[in-house]
């Protein structure tokens, strides 16, 4: 029996900010669009930090990450793209007619004329605390991400890590926790300079270069003390804690995409100014795409997405307009404006 597959103009792999905006913008370009994401929810890396405040999206007041994610998801569905969740794309097959077949780990197949890779840092997994028995406390008070701030109110919180996440959570929790202790195995922090300065000038107890070396539990269910050790002198100290947050970074897995013969390094695919990869008809956007003037912000992901979609459109239709008309003049929004009760002049 011959397999029947719908052919899409563009298939976007990845449901973070770049992927969601690409799904919206490809609708502006009247492209038949599919978005595939390995997670069960759209949002990509934004799902890890729902209670962080996002300040750097143009024209948007400081907004909770969770709220911005919901707004982006609503926008992504404006032109009713096909959205497939819980499928992790692994294999790529180029057909004789120039189209592509994508196959997921679970065996589903998707047929497309072009592809936009918006996979960020790949399938992300939190780097775990490498201490024997640590996993038993993951159900109580050992955290690898923070979903809500309120449970930490009035608590003694220890944060292990030195990147953006560790610094940001120290600043978020310092006003509401009884005490925040930050432990980092290096002397220098890797977060944004202004955020580091804010943490260093707060009441947070910052210990460097230290690392967590032992966990204690009086009841066997939750951590109540932590031993931290100086990485150079082996000097150690035991601290009473209520909650432990570990931000040791993320481990990335690009699954089979690394076997597609893309021009890439461990983290990024190298693209042209038109966001084209070295494979015809395959483009990239967001954190996964690298080019010389790259802007690693959510706002930059939106621009990447628009350029990648325009490039995919022109790849399919070389005589098409270089970009979509702005929404105030785009025919595709006339009926939608009427539905919103907007009377156009």
């Amino acid at each position: 029996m011959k397999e029947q597959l719908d052919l899409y103009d563009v298939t976007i792999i990845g449901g973070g900010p770049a992927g969601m905006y690409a799904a919206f913008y490809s609708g502006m370009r009247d492209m038949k669009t599919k978005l595939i994401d390995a997670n069960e929810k759209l949002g990509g890396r934004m799902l890890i930090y729902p209670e962080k405040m996002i300040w750097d999206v143009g024209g948007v007041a400081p907004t909770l990450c969770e709220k911005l994610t919901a707004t982006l998801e609503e926008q992504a569905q404006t032109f009713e793209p096909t959205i497939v969740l819980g499928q992790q794309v692994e294999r790529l097959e180029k057909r004789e007619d120039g189209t592509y077949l994508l196959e997921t780990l679970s065996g589903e197949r998707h047929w497309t004329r072009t592809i936009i890779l918006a996979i960020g840092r790949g399938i992300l997994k939190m780097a775990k605390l490498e201490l024997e028995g640590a996993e038993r406390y993951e159900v109580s008070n050992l955290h690898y991400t923070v979903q809500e701030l309120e449970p930490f109110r009035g608590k003694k919180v220890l944060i292990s890590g030195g990147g953006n996440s560790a610094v940001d959570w120290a600043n978020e929790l310092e006003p509401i926790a009884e005490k925040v202790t930050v432990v980092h195995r290096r002397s220098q922090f890797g977060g944004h300079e202004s955020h580091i300065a804010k943490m260093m000038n707060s009441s947070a107890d910052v210990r460097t270069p230290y690392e967590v070396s032992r966990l204690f539990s009086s009841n066997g269910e939750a951590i109540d003390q932590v031993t931290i050790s100086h990485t150079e002198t082996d000097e150690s100290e035991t601290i009473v804690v209520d909650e432990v947050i570990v931000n040791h970074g993320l481990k990335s897995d690009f699954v089979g995409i690394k076997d597609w013969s893309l021009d890439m390094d461990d983290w990024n695919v190298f693209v042209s100014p038109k966001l084209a990869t070295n494979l015809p008809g395959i483009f990239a956007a967001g954190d996964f795409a690298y080019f010389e003037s790259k802007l690693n912000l959510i706002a930059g992901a939106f621009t990447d997405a628009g350029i990648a979609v325009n490039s995919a459109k022109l790849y399919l239709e070389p005589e098409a307009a270089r970009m979509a008309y702005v929404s105030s003049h785009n025919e595709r929004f006339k009926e939608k404006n009427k539905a919103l009760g907007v009377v156009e002049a």
Side-chain angles (χ1 to χ4, degrees):
M1 182 176 179
K2 188 176 180 179
E3 184 177 34
Q4 297 295 316
L5 291 171
D6 288 335
L7 178 62
Y8 283 79
D9 293 325
V10 59
T11 295
I12 301 155
I13 304 175
M20 286 189 282
Y21 193 77
F24 165 72
Y25 190 76
S26 62
M28 290 180 67
R29 302 248 43 189
D30 200 21
M31 300 173 77
K32 184 177 181 181
T33 303
K34 178 181 283 186
L35 185 153
I36 306 173
D37 193 80
N39 291 316
E40 296 295 339
K41 294 174 63 177
L42 292 176
R45 192 172 179 177
M46 297 173 73
L47 295 173
I48 300 173
Y49 311 113
E51 289 217 357
K52 275 193 176 182
M53 293 298 293
I54 307 297
W55 288 76
D56 52 12
V57 177
V60 177
T63 304
L64 280 175
C65 188
E66 183 177 48
K67 184 177 179 181
L68 181 60
T69 302
T71 303
L72 284 169
E73 180 176 356
E74 182 179 358
Q75 184 185 44
Q77 300 192 46
T78 300
F79 298 103
E80 301 180 349
T82 297
I83 295 179
V84 179
L85 299 176
Q87 291 191 23
Q88 191 169 330
V89 174
E90 180 184 28
R91 286 180 285 277
L92 174 77
E93 175 190 334
K94 189 172 184 181
R95 297 165 64 98
E96 290 183 3
D97 61 1
T99 61
Y100 288 102
L101 275 177
L102 297 165
E103 186 171 343
T104 69
L105 282 174
S106 48
E108 293 87 354
R109 284 154 66 89
H110 304 272
W111 190 19
T112 187
R113 301 173 73 194
T114 64
I115 298 167
I116 294 176
L117 296 170
I119 57 177
R121 299 300 187 191
I123 305 301
L124 297 175
K125 298 177 182 178
M126 293 289 184
K128 298 294 186 77
L129 183 63
E130 296 181 355
L131 289 178
E132 185 177 355
E135 65 279 357
R136 78 181 68 168
Y137 304 115
E138 292 177 16
V139 297
S140 55
N141 64 341
L142 175 60
H143 313 274
Y144 290 101
T145 185
V146 176
Q147 298 294 321
E148 299 179 58
L149 297 177
E150 195 58 31
F152 297 89
R153 184 176 295 277
K155 302 287 187 67
K156 299 180 181 69
V157 182
L158 182 139
I159 300 173
S160 177
N164 285 320
S165 297
V167 173
D168 288 349
W169 287 128
N171 287 329
E172 294 279 355
L173 292 170
E174 187 270 339
I176 67 170
E178 177 183 333
K179 182 178 181 181
V180 172
T181 302
V182 181
V183 177
H184 182 36
R185 64 190 307 273
R186 297 185 180 87
S187 297
Q188 300 297 319
F189 285 85
H192 296 297
E193 292 178 358
S194 60
H195 297 180
I196 296 169
K198 180 179 179 181
M199 178 184 70
M200 299 301 290
N201 291 323
S202 73
S203 66
D205 182 9
V206 179
R207 305 291 190 93
T208 62
Y210 277 85
E211 63 185 357
V212 175
S213 56
R214 192 171 179 185
L215 307 175
F216 296 91
S217 173
S218 58
N219 60 11
E221 297 179 358
I223 303 164
D224 47 38
Q225 294 186 80
V226 170
T227 296
I228 62 173
S229 301
H230 197 283
T231 60
E232 297 171 358
T233 66
D234 290 330
E235 176 187 358
S236 64
E237 179 181 348
T238 299
I239 300 172
V240 175
V241 299
D242 298 308
E243 307 286 346
V244 177
I245 300 171
V246 175
N247 288 137
H248 289 178
L250 298 164
K251 293 182 177 179
S252 178
D253 183 2
F254 291 104
V255 199
I257 290 176
K258 275 216 162 187
D259 299 324
W260 289 11
S261 299
L262 290 163
D263 182 13
M264 61 180 294
D265 60 15
D266 289 340
W267 293 99
N268 303 103
V269 63
F270 300 103
V271 295
S272 73
K274 294 183 179 180
L275 280 296
T277 71
N278 59 302
L279 300 182
I282 300 182
F283 307 87
D287 285 344
F288 186 53
Y290 178 78
F291 50 94
E292 187 175 353
S293 55
K294 179 72 178 182
L295 178 63
N296 287 306
L297 294 174
I298 291 174
F302 299 155
T303 300
D304 284 1
I307 294 171
V309 169
N310 285 332
S311 296
K313 180 72 173 182
L314 291 168
Y315 176 83
L316 297 176
E317 302 175 32
E319 302 305 316
R322 190 170 61 88
M323 63 184 68
Y325 286 111
V326 295
S327 60
S328 57
H329 294 80
N330 194 306
E331 291 290 327
R332 302 220 74 193
F333 290 98
K334 281 196 172 182
E335 292 302 317
K336 296 184 181 298
N337 287 338
K338 287 179 183 177
L340 294 171
V342 176
V343 179
E344 297 183 347

mmCIF file of all heavy atoms in Angstrom, residues 134-168:
data_model
loop_
_atom_site.group_PDB
_atom_site.id
_atom_site.type_symbol
_atom_site.label_atom_id
_atom_site.label_comp_id
_atom_site.label_asym_id
_atom_site.label_seq_id
_atom_site.Cartn_x
_atom_site.Cartn_y
_atom_site.Cartn_z
ATOM 1 N N ALA A 134 21.871 11.992 45.186
ATOM 2 C CA ALA A 134 21.201 13.288 45.015
ATOM 3 C C ALA A 134 19.814 13.132 44.414
ATOM 4 O O ALA A 134 18.889 13.884 44.760
ATOM 5 C CB ALA A 134 22.062 14.202 44.142
ATOM 6 N N GLU A 135 19.638 12.144 43.538
ATOM 7 C CA GLU A 135 18.364 12.004 42.827
ATOM 8 C C GLU A 135 17.189 11.747 43.777
ATOM 9 O O GLU A 135 16.041 12.069 43.452
ATOM 10 C CB GLU A 135 18.455 10.888 41.791
ATOM 11 C CG GLU A 135 18.646 9.492 42.323
ATOM 12 C CD GLU A 135 20.101 9.168 42.679
ATOM 13 O OE1 GLU A 135 20.983 10.024 42.449
ATOM 14 O OE2 GLU A 135 20.343 8.050 43.195
ATOM 15 N N ARG A 136 17.439 11.197 44.943
ATOM 16 C CA ARG A 136 16.332 10.890 45.855
ATOM 17 C C ARG A 136 15.639 12.158 46.358
ATOM 18 O O ARG A 136 14.489 12.106 46.791
ATOM 19 C CB ARG A 136 16.841 10.072 47.037
ATOM 20 C CG ARG A 136 17.566 10.877 48.114
ATOM 21 C CD ARG A 136 18.075 10.030 49.251
ATOM 22 N NE ARG A 136 19.138 9.151 48.817
ATOM 23 C CZ ARG A 136 19.920 8.474 49.670
ATOM 24 N NH1 ARG A 136 19.722 8.558 50.963
ATOM 25 N NH2 ARG A 136 20.887 7.714 49.201
ATOM 26 N N TYR A 137 16.341 13.296 46.309
ATOM 27 C CA TYR A 137 15.771 14.540 46.826
ATOM 28 C C TYR A 137 15.066 15.371 45.754
ATOM 29 O O TYR A 137 14.538 16.447 46.050
ATOM 30 C CB TYR A 137 16.864 15.381 47.490
ATOM 31 C CG TYR A 137 17.604 14.634 48.590
ATOM 32 C CD1 TYR A 137 18.956 14.325 48.455
ATOM 33 C CD2 TYR A 137 16.946 14.231 49.741
ATOM 34 C CE1 TYR A 137 19.639 13.628 49.437
ATOM 35 C CE2 TYR A 137 17.610 13.526 50.740
ATOM 36 C CZ TYR A 137 18.958 13.226 50.579
ATOM 37 O OH TYR A 137 19.620 12.534 51.562
ATOM 38 N N GLU A 138 15.065 14.873 44.519
ATOM 39 C CA GLU A 138 14.433 15.621 43.433
ATOM 40 C C GLU A 138 12.923 15.722 43.610
ATOM 41 O O GLU A 138 12.281 16.590 43.022
ATOM 42 C CB GLU A 138 14.764 14.980 42.078
ATOM 43 C CG GLU A 138 16.241 15.115 41.712
ATOM 44 C CD GLU A 138 16.587 14.420 40.399
ATOM 45 O OE1 GLU A 138 15.645 14.099 39.634
ATOM 46 O OE2 GLU A 138 17.792 14.189 40.138
ATOM 47 N N VAL A 139 12.348 14.837 44.409
ATOM 48 C CA VAL A 139 10.903 14.884 44.657
ATOM 49 C C VAL A 139 10.559 15.772 45.843
ATOM 50 O O VAL A 139 9.382 15.985 46.145
ATOM 51 C CB VAL A 139 10.336 13.466 44.897
ATOM 52 C CG1 VAL A 139 10.515 12.610 43.663
ATOM 53 C CG2 VAL A 139 11.000 12.815 46.103
ATOM 54 N N SER A 140 11.583 16.288 46.537
ATOM 55 C CA SER A 140 11.322 17.121 47.715
ATOM 56 C C SER A 140 11.883 18.528 47.545
ATOM 57 O O SER A 140 11.183 19.433 47.092
ATOM 58 C CB SER A 140 11.860 16.448 48.985
ATOM 59 O OG SER A 140 13.249 16.134 48.842
ATOM 60 N N ASN A 141 13.170 18.724 47.815
ATOM 61 C CA ASN A 141 13.686 20.101 47.829
ATOM 62 C C ASN A 141 14.988 20.291 47.063
ATOM 63 O O ASN A 141 15.731 21.241 47.320
ATOM 64 C CB ASN A 141 13.838 20.609 49.270
ATOM 65 C CG ASN A 141 14.867 19.831 50.083
ATOM 66 O OD1 ASN A 141 15.236 18.711 49.736
ATOM 67 N ND2 ASN A 141 15.317 20.433 51.180
ATOM 68 N N LEU A 142 15.284 19.409 46.103
ATOM 69 C CA LEU A 142 16.400 19.621 45.183
ATOM 70 C C LEU A 142 15.798 19.959 43.827
ATOM 71 O O LEU A 142 15.093 19.143 43.222
ATOM 72 C CB LEU A 142 17.276 18.372 45.077
ATOM 73 C CG LEU A 142 18.411 18.415 44.045
ATOM 74 C CD1 LEU A 142 19.381 19.555 44.332
ATOM 75 C CD2 LEU A 142 19.159 17.080 44.003
ATOM 76 N N HIS A 143 16.074 21.167 43.332
ATOM 77 C CA HIS A 143 15.413 21.685 42.132
ATOM 78 C C HIS A 143 16.432 21.973 41.033
ATOM 79 O O HIS A 143 17.514 22.497 41.297
ATOM 80 C CB HIS A 143 14.665 22.985 42.453
ATOM 81 C CG HIS A 143 13.825 22.917 43.685
ATOM 82 N ND1 HIS A 143 12.534 22.444 43.696
ATOM 83 C CD2 HIS A 143 14.106 23.266 44.978
ATOM 84 C CE1 HIS A 143 12.049 22.498 44.924
ATOM 85 N NE2 HIS A 143 12.981 22.988 45.722
ATOM 86 N N TYR A 144 16.043 21.663 39.789
ATOM 87 C CA TYR A 144 16.872 22.011 38.639
ATOM 88 C C TYR A 144 16.272 23.159 37.841
ATOM 89 O O TYR A 144 16.895 23.683 36.936
ATOM 90 C CB TYR A 144 17.083 20.788 37.751
ATOM 91 C CG TYR A 144 17.972 19.766 38.419
ATOM 92 C CD1 TYR A 144 17.427 18.643 39.030
ATOM 93 C CD2 TYR A 144 19.347 19.956 38.487
ATOM 94 C CE1 TYR A 144 18.238 17.720 39.668
ATOM 95 C CE2 TYR A 144 20.171 19.039 39.126
ATOM 96 C CZ TYR A 144 19.609 17.915 39.723
ATOM 97 O OH TYR A 144 20.424 17.020 40.361
ATOM 98 N N THR A 145 15.074 23.537 38.168
ATOM 99 C CA THR A 145 14.440 24.730 37.606
ATOM 100 C C THR A 145 13.432 25.233 38.626
ATOM 101 O O THR A 145 13.066 24.509 39.564
ATOM 102 C CB THR A 145 13.751 24.433 36.265
ATOM 103 O OG1 THR A 145 13.258 25.653 35.701
ATOM 104 C CG2 THR A 145 12.591 23.472 36.445
ATOM 105 N N VAL A 146 13.001 26.471 38.449
ATOM 106 C CA VAL A 146 12.051 27.087 39.367
ATOM 107 C C VAL A 146 10.777 27.414 38.592
ATOM 108 O O VAL A 146 10.806 28.222 37.663
ATOM 109 C CB VAL A 146 12.635 28.368 39.998
ATOM 110 C CG1 VAL A 146 11.599 29.047 40.885
ATOM 111 C CG2 VAL A 146 13.889 28.037 40.808
ATOM 112 N N GLN A 147 9.691 26.769 38.952
ATOM 113 C CA GLN A 147 8.417 27.024 38.290
ATOM 114 C C GLN A 147 7.645 28.157 38.958
ATOM 115 O O GLN A 147 6.928 28.904 38.310
ATOM 116 C CB GLN A 147 7.567 25.749 38.294
ATOM 117 C CG GLN A 147 8.190 24.593 37.538
ATOM 118 C CD GLN A 147 8.316 24.840 36.053
ATOM 119 O OE1 GLN A 147 7.438 25.427 35.433
ATOM 120 N NE2 GLN A 147 9.422 24.407 35.459
ATOM 121 N N GLU A 148 7.778 28.264 40.288
ATOM 122 C CA GLU A 148 7.101 29.317 41.041
ATOM 123 C C GLU A 148 8.041 29.861 42.107
ATOM 124 O O GLU A 148 8.833 29.120 42.686
ATOM 125 C CB GLU A 148 5.832 28.780 41.721
ATOM 126 C CG GLU A 148 4.770 28.239 40.775
ATOM 127 C CD GLU A 148 3.579 27.709 41.548
ATOM 128 O OE1 GLU A 148 2.973 28.489 42.314
ATOM 129 O OE2 GLU A 148 3.267 26.521 41.388
ATOM 130 N N LEU A 149 7.916 31.148 42.396
ATOM 131 C CA LEU A 149 8.765 31.770 43.405
ATOM 132 C C LEU A 149 8.212 31.586 44.822
ATOM 133 O O LEU A 149 8.970 31.455 45.784
ATOM 134 C CB LEU A 149 8.910 33.271 43.120
ATOM 135 C CG LEU A 149 9.591 33.661 41.807
ATOM 136 C CD1 LEU A 149 9.592 35.173 41.649
ATOM 137 C CD2 LEU A 149 11.011 33.123 41.749
ATOM 138 N N GLU A 150 6.908 31.591 44.960
ATOM 139 C CA GLU A 150 6.267 31.630 46.278
ATOM 140 C C GLU A 150 6.705 30.504 47.218
ATOM 141 O O GLU A 150 6.877 30.746 48.426
ATOM 142 C CB GLU A 150 4.750 31.627 46.115
ATOM 143 C CG GLU A 150 3.987 32.034 47.365
ATOM 144 C CD GLU A 150 4.367 33.426 47.870
ATOM 145 O OE1 GLU A 150 4.722 34.298 47.043
ATOM 146 O OE2 GLU A 150 4.318 33.635 49.101
ATOM 147 N N PRO A 151 6.912 29.263 46.749
ATOM 148 C CA PRO A 151 7.339 28.206 47.675
ATOM 149 C C PRO A 151 8.683 28.473 48.361
ATOM 150 O O PRO A 151 9.000 27.814 49.359
ATOM 151 C CB PRO A 151 7.435 26.967 46.767
ATOM 152 C CG PRO A 151 6.469 27.236 45.666
ATOM 153 C CD PRO A 151 6.593 28.715 45.416
ATOM 154 N N PHE A 152 9.447 29.454 47.860
ATOM 155 C CA PHE A 152 10.756 29.753 48.433
ATOM 156 C C PHE A 152 10.693 30.912 49.432
ATOM 157 O O PHE A 152 11.709 31.269 50.027
ATOM 158 C CB PHE A 152 11.760 30.071 47.327
ATOM 159 C CG PHE A 152 12.010 28.920 46.398
ATOM 160 C CD1 PHE A 152 11.223 28.725 45.274
ATOM 161 C CD2 PHE A 152 13.016 28.004 46.669
ATOM 162 C CE1 PHE A 152 11.440 27.656 44.421
ATOM 163 C CE2 PHE A 152 13.249 26.928 45.827
ATOM 164 C CZ PHE A 152 12.447 26.747 44.704
ATOM 165 N N ARG A 153 9.520 31.485 49.592
ATOM 166 C CA ARG A 153 9.381 32.628 50.500
ATOM 167 C C ARG A 153 9.736 32.222 51.930
ATOM 168 O O ARG A 153 9.266 31.222 52.461
ATOM 169 C CB ARG A 153 7.958 33.180 50.453
ATOM 170 C CG ARG A 153 7.762 34.437 51.291
ATOM 171 C CD ARG A 153 6.369 35.004 51.127
ATOM 172 N NE ARG A 153 6.152 35.473 49.761
ATOM 173 C CZ ARG A 153 6.538 36.664 49.316
ATOM 174 N NH1 ARG A 153 7.152 37.515 50.149
ATOM 175 N NH2 ARG A 153 6.304 37.011 48.072
ATOM 176 N N GLY A 154 10.595 33.040 52.577
ATOM 177 C CA GLY A 154 10.977 32.796 53.956
ATOM 178 C C GLY A 154 11.894 31.600 54.172
ATOM 179 O O GLY A 154 12.130 31.192 55.313
ATOM 180 N N LYS A 155 12.434 31.043 53.090
ATOM 181 C CA LYS A 155 13.274 29.848 53.201
ATOM 182 C C LYS A 155 14.762 30.199 53.110
ATOM 183 O O LYS A 155 15.139 31.241 52.577
ATOM 184 C CB LYS A 155 12.930 28.874 52.061
ATOM 185 C CG LYS A 155 11.477 28.427 52.016
ATOM 186 C CD LYS A 155 11.149 27.455 53.110
ATOM 187 C CE LYS A 155 9.747 26.890 52.951
ATOM 188 N NZ LYS A 155 9.581 26.028 51.775
ATOM 189 N N LYS A 156 15.580 29.261 53.611
ATOM 190 C CA LYS A 156 17.030 29.335 53.419
ATOM 191 C C LYS A 156 17.345 28.586 52.121
ATOM 192 O O LYS A 156 17.195 27.368 52.058
ATOM 193 C CB LYS A 156 17.771 28.717 54.595
ATOM 194 C CG LYS A 156 17.516 29.406 55.936
ATOM 195 C CD LYS A 156 18.299 28.713 57.026
ATOM 196 C CE LYS A 156 18.061 29.349 58.392
ATOM 197 N NZ LYS A 156 16.680 29.094 58.876
ATOM 198 N N VAL A 157 17.775 29.323 51.100
ATOM 199 C CA VAL A 157 17.939 28.750 49.767
ATOM 200 C C VAL A 157 19.416 28.748 49.377
ATOM 201 O O VAL A 157 20.090 29.786 49.472
ATOM 202 C CB VAL A 157 17.139 29.547 48.715
ATOM 203 C CG1 VAL A 157 17.273 28.902 47.338
ATOM 204 C CG2 VAL A 157 15.671 29.655 49.119
ATOM 205 N N LEU A 158 19.909 27.602 48.933
ATOM 206 C CA LEU A 158 21.261 27.527 48.391
ATOM 207 C C LEU A 158 21.152 27.316 46.888
ATOM 208 O O LEU A 158 20.432 26.430 46.427
ATOM 209 C CB LEU A 158 22.054 26.388 49.029
ATOM 210 C CG LEU A 158 23.507 26.283 48.527
ATOM 211 C CD1 LEU A 158 24.468 25.981 49.672
ATOM 212 C CD2 LEU A 158 23.654 25.196 47.451
ATOM 213 N N ILE A 159 21.878 28.139 46.125
ATOM 214 C CA ILE A 159 21.909 28.035 44.666
ATOM 215 C C ILE A 159 23.318 27.657 44.246
ATOM 216 O O ILE A 159 24.285 28.330 44.606
ATOM 217 C CB ILE A 159 21.510 29.363 43.999
ATOM 218 C CG1 ILE A 159 20.089 29.765 44.414
ATOM 219 C CG2 ILE A 159 21.610 29.259 42.478
ATOM 220 C CD1 ILE A 159 19.684 31.145 43.931
ATOM 221 N N SER A 160 23.438 26.582 43.486
ATOM 222 C CA SER A 160 24.734 26.142 42.987
ATOM 223 C C SER A 160 24.795 26.401 41.487
ATOM 224 O O SER A 160 23.982 25.889 40.721
ATOM 225 C CB SER A 160 24.932 24.644 43.269
ATOM 226 O OG SER A 160 26.154 24.202 42.722
ATOM 227 N N GLY A 161 25.768 27.219 41.067
ATOM 228 C CA GLY A 161 25.910 27.539 39.652
ATOM 229 C C GLY A 161 26.426 28.952 39.470
ATOM 230 O O GLY A 161 26.392 29.762 40.399
ATOM 231 N N GLY A 162 26.895 29.247 38.253
ATOM 232 C CA GLY A 162 27.480 30.562 38.028
ATOM 233 C C GLY A 162 27.104 31.204 36.721
ATOM 234 O O GLY A 162 27.687 32.230 36.349
ATOM 235 N N GLY A 163 26.117 30.659 36.018
ATOM 236 C CA GLY A 163 25.681 31.248 34.756
ATOM 237 C C GLY A 163 24.506 32.180 34.930
ATOM 238 O O GLY A 163 24.142 32.561 36.057
ATOM 239 N N ASN A 164 23.889 32.552 33.805
ATOM 240 C CA ASN A 164 22.763 33.475 33.840
ATOM 241 C C ASN A 164 21.650 32.998 34.747
ATOM 242 O O ASN A 164 21.076 33.778 35.517
ATOM 243 C CB ASN A 164 22.202 33.685 32.426
ATOM 244 C CG ASN A 164 23.085 34.585 31.587
ATOM 245 O OD1 ASN A 164 23.620 35.569 32.074
ATOM 246 N ND2 ASN A 164 23.232 34.248 30.316
ATOM 247 N N SER A 165 21.313 31.713 34.662
ATOM 248 C CA SER A 165 20.180 31.198 35.432
ATOM 249 C C SER A 165 20.422 31.309 36.930
ATOM 250 O O SER A 165 19.553 31.763 37.680
ATOM 251 C CB SER A 165 19.894 29.744 35.042
ATOM 252 O OG SER A 165 19.511 29.659 33.700
ATOM 253 N N ALA A 166 21.599 30.879 37.383
ATOM 254 C CA ALA A 166 21.908 30.938 38.809
ATOM 255 C C ALA A 166 21.859 32.380 39.314
ATOM 256 O O ALA A 166 21.289 32.670 40.370
ATOM 257 C CB ALA A 166 23.284 30.324 39.062
ATOM 258 N N VAL A 167 22.460 33.287 38.557
ATOM 259 C CA VAL A 167 22.474 34.700 38.954
ATOM 260 C C VAL A 167 21.063 35.282 38.960
ATOM 261 O O VAL A 167 20.665 35.984 39.898
ATOM 262 C CB VAL A 167 23.391 35.503 38.014
ATOM 263 C CG1 VAL A 167 23.289 36.999 38.298
ATOM 264 C CG2 VAL A 167 24.842 35.039 38.150
ATOM 265 N N ASP A 168 20.298 34.976 37.936
ATOM 266 C CA ASP A 168 18.936 35.507 37.848
ATOM 267 C C ASP A 168 18.059 35.010 38.993
ATOM 268 O O ASP A 168 17.290 35.778 39.579
ATOM 269 C CB ASP A 168 18.293 35.127 36.516
ATOM 270 C CG ASP A 168 18.872 35.902 35.346
ATOM 271 O OD1 ASP A 168 19.617 36.878 35.599
ATOM 272 O OD2 ASP A 168 18.599 35.538 34.195
#
